[in-house]
Amino acid sequence: MDVLEKLTVLTDAAKYDAACTSSGGNRTAKKGYIGNTSSSVSGCCHSFSADGRCVTLLKVLMTNCCVFDCKYCVNRRSNDTKRAAFTPHELADLTISFYRRNYIEGLFLSSGVLRSPDYTTELMIKALRILREEYRFNGYIHAKAIPGTAPELVEQLGFLADRLSVNIELPSEAGLRTLAPDKTKQAILSPMRQIQVRSKQSKEELVKYRHAPKFAPAGQSTQLIVGATADSDFHILRLTQGLYDRYRLKRVFYSAYVPVVEHALLPSKDVKPPLLREHRLYQADWLLRFYGFRAEELLDEQHPDFNPLVDPKCSWALAHLDFFPVEVNTADYEALLRVPGIGVTSARRILTARRAGKLRIEDLQKMGVVMKRAQYFLTASGKRAEGLLFTPDSLLRNLIAAEHPLLPDAEPVQLSLFDLPASV
C-alpha cells in the first residue's frame, strides 16, 4: 500500500473524532523554522479529507490497527475493515509536503492502538520529533494521548505537541465496562491529571526561565460520545463540570453517536445520530464556560434531559421566572448574562453604554441583544417592550416559535393513500 492509499484509509478512519480544535496556540515565527500558530488563534478545526478537499489541519490516524475491541468503534479489533499504518517518516513527510503546498497549517494526530499504548505512542513521538527537529516545523500539532500510556511517554509527547487530548468517549464507568472493556476509568483520568499538573509546572518554569521548553501550551481537551449509552444529559453535563473543575480542560467535545456497527448493546443502524441533543449539550457547555452556570442549575434528577424545543438558557429562565425581569440599567454583569438573548459581548456593551446615560428598550438591539428572546425577561427604566403581553404558557410557545427556524427541518416522509388523518 502506497502513502496515498494509506492517507485515504487513515483520514477516513479519523472522521469520527470531533475534538480537533487548535485554538490556544500562540507561537510566533522562529528563525530557522517554518510555520507558526499565530495565524490560528481564532481556532482552526477543519481537516484534510481523503476526497481532496483543501482544509486547515491534516486530521489523520497513525494507524487504524487496534488491539482494543470497543464495540462502538469502526476501528475495533473484531471489525472487518481495511487496515493501514504510517511509518513515522511517512507521516512527517506527508505533513510537511502538505504544509509547503499551503494545504494545511498543522497536524491533528490520533491513532488506534498498535501492539500496545506505549508502542503506538513511541511511533507518534518519532513522527513528531522528525517534524520538529529535522524539518524544523513550528506549526500547530494536536496529539492524542492514548489511555494506558506510560507517564514518561506522555511527557515526551507533551513537549512536542501544542495540545494534548485524552478521549473519555463514554460518560459512565458502567458504559466503559460494557462497550470498551479494554479501557478503564483510571487509565483515562491518570494522563489527564498528569497533563494538568505538568502544564502548571511548565508555566511556573517559564516565569523563571524564559527559554524553558513548553509542555502542551494550548492545554488539553477530551471527547464524549452522546447516544451510544443510556446516560442522561444531566450525567454528561455533571461529568463535564467535574472535568473543567478538576483538570482545567480547555474544551469538552460532544460527538453524536453514528451507528456504524451492528451490536445488541448499541443503537440500531436505523437510528439517526442525536444531532439536536449534541447541539443542546454544546449550548449548555458554553453556559458553563462563559456564563457562570453550573451543571446542577441547568438539570437535576427530576429533569435529567434538555428540552429539545428551546435552548438550555431559555429552559433555565422558564424554571426561574422569579429571577426576572432584570433591569438593564442597574443589573450587574452576572445577572445580565442570565437573560436569554444577552451574550458576553452585548452584556459588556450594556455596562459600557449605561455609564453615559439611561438605556431604553430600543437601544438594546443595537448592542447585539436578541430581543425576540430577551424582551420577556428584562426592563429598561422599569419599562418592557411596548405592547408586550404574555403568560407563562404563551411565553413557552413564543420561545419555541423563536427557536423553530434555527432547528433542522424534519426529514420529509412520503405520504401514503392509506395514512389516516390525525383526527380519526
Side-chain angles (χ1 to χ4, degrees), residues 74-281:
V74 70
N75 300 316
R76 70 187 192 280
R77 181 181 68 237
S78 59
N79 194 30
D80 184 16
T81 189
K82 193 173 185 179
R83 306 289 180 174
F86 285 120
T87 66
H89 271 284
E90 285 175 340
L91 181 62
D93 289 345
L94 190 67
T95 303
I96 209 69
S97 296
F98 278 13
Y99 178 81
R100 287 171 175 161
R101 288 175 173 83
N102 201 30
Y103 290 166
I104 61 170
E105 294 180 55
L107 172 67
F108 175 88
L109 181 60
S110 186
S111 184
V113 183
L114 181 63
R115 298 190 192 176
S116 69
D118 285 355
Y119 180 79
T120 307
T121 303
E122 286 173 352
L123 292 178
M124 295 169 70
I125 289 170
K126 286 178 184 177
L128 299 190
R129 189 160 279 142
I130 292 168
L131 273 173
R132 294 298 198 201
E133 297 176 3
E134 292 186 24
Y135 290 119
R136 317 289 279 177
F137 181 64
N138 196 46
Y140 178 84
I141 296 177
H142 180 151
K144 283 299 176 73
I146 300 171
T149 301
E152 56 270 22
L153 293 177
V154 174
E155 178 150 345
Q156 290 181 47
L157 195 64
F159 281 118
L160 293 166
D162 294 277
R163 173 169 287 182
L164 293 177
S165 55
V166 187
N167 279 2
I168 291 180
E169 305 288 10
L170 299 177
S172 66
E173 196 167 4
L176 280 174
R177 285 196 301 268
T178 305
L179 298 178
D182 300 298
K183 296 179 180 178
T184 65
K185 178 182 176 182
Q186 186 60 32
I188 295 169
L189 296 182
S190 290
M192 273 191 180
R193 174 62 70 187
Q194 179 189 354
I195 293 166
Q196 182 222 345
V197 171
R198 193 64 187 87
S199 295
K200 183 180 178 181
Q201 291 173 350
S202 178
K203 290 174 184 176
E204 292 171 352
E205 290 167 0
L206 283 166
V207 173
K208 298 178 182 177
Y209 311 104
R210 182 181 173 187
H211 298 292
K214 296 179 181 179
F215 182 89
Q220 65 171 318
S221 59
T222 192
Q223 174 175 299
L224 295 171
I225 296 175
V226 178
T229 58
D231 298 296
S232 67
D233 293 341
F234 180 49
H235 181 92
I236 293 172
L237 206 62
R238 194 164 51 178
L239 172 61
T240 298
Q241 184 80 69
L243 292 172
Y244 285 138
D245 291 345
R246 296 185 196 120
Y247 301 105
R248 298 293 184 265
L249 266 64
K250 293 292 185 180
R251 285 290 303 274
V252 173
F253 290 85
Y254 308 93
S255 179
Y257 175 67
V258 180
V260 292
V261 293
E262 284 287 359
H263 196 281
L265 298 173
L266 291 168
S268 161
K269 280 191 175 183
D270 298 329
V271 175
K272 300 294 183 185
L275 298 177
L276 181 55
R277 186 182 177 198
E278 175 194 288
H279 176 58
R280 295 298 183 215
L281 284 167

Side-chain angles (χ1 to χ4, degrees), residues 32-88:
Y33 288 75
I34 59 173
N36 63 74
T37 64
S38 59
S39 61
S40 307
V41 292
S42 60
C44 51
C45 54
H46 304 294
S47 61
F48 190 92
S49 60
D51 61 6
R53 285 174 294 152
C54 188
V55 293
T56 306
L57 292 181
L58 173 59
K59 182 182 177 186
V60 70
L61 300 184
M62 190 81 201
T63 178
N64 66 339
C65 302
C66 195
V67 297
F68 289 175
D69 200 28
C70 305
K71 295 175 178 61
Y72 54 84
C73 183
V74 70
N75 300 316
R76 70 187 192 280
R77 181 181 68 237
S78 59
N79 194 30
D80 184 16
T81 189
K82 193 173 185 179
R83 306 289 180 174
F86 285 120
T87 66

Side-chain angles (χ1 to χ4, degrees), residues 54 70 135 158 305 354 370 375 408:
C54 188
C70 305
Y135 290 119
D305 295 300
R354 73 189 190 189
V370 182
Q375 61 184 336

